[in-house]
Amino acid sequence: QVQLAESGGGLVEVGESLTLTCTAVGHTFSDYGIGWFRQAPGKEREFVACISWASGSRTYYGDSVKGRFTVSRDNAKRTAYLVMRALRPEDTAVYFCAAEVSGLGSKVASGYDYWGQGTQVTVSS
């Protein structure tokens, strides 16, 4: 079992950057695929990015963030990162990190076994 905690959210202006951090406590962090999702008020949870286990050789991105966001991991620090650039008002949401035991990463929220509590990102125009 693993516990996840997101941090780094906040209020930024259009075009600025922000880095979210997902820190894990518990089972070996490197065994898990890590995903990032977001949920805006009144909308369904949306896939943002994911990274495979161990070296994180495989990464996938949602169409709306491709080219602007970068996912990475540092297993020694038990931490995953989501670097968000060129932020837009439509990026405003609560961002969640999640871990899944297959290690492959998934674009589907139901594929994840553990979730953090989320961190709010607000992009002001």
Side-chain angles (χ1 to χ4, degrees):
Q1 190 171 0
V2 64
Q3 292 82 43
L4 304 172
E6 304 92 340
S7 61
L11 173 63
V12 296
E13 296 187 354
V14 170
E16 292 187 338
S17 299
L18 202 60
T19 297
L20 303 184
T21 298
C22 174
T23 302
V25 176
H27 191 67
T28 307
F29 178 71
S30 59
D31 288 349
Y32 294 94
I34 300 296
W36 287 95
F37 291 78
R38 66 187 182 187
Q39 190 163 19
K43 295 188 176 181
E44 294 186 353
R45 193 163 293 193
E46 177 189 9
F47 168 73
V48 175
C50 67
I51 185 167
S52 58
W53 71 303
S55 65
S57 59
R58 301 198 315 174
T59 57
Y60 300 97
Y61 297 91
D63 289 341
S64 62
V65 306
K66 203 171 293 184
R68 299 188 298 124
F69 290 13
T70 303
V71 61
S72 63
R73 65 190 301 157
D74 184 336
N75 294 326
K77 295 182 178 180
R78 308 175 64 83
T79 300
Y81 304 95
L82 183 69
V83 177
M84 306 184 294
R85 301 180 180 88
L87 284 162
R88 306 166 179 169
E90 54 265 39
D91 294 319
T92 295
V94 177
Y95 284 71
F96 300 88
C97 69
E100 58 85 26
V101 299
S102 81
L104 300 177
S106 173
K107 299 180 181 180
V108 179
S110 61
Y112 288 83
D113 303 284
Y114 305 101
W115 290 82
Q117 293 299 307
T119 185
Q120 176 71 46
V121 172
T122 303
V123 184
S124 171
S125 57

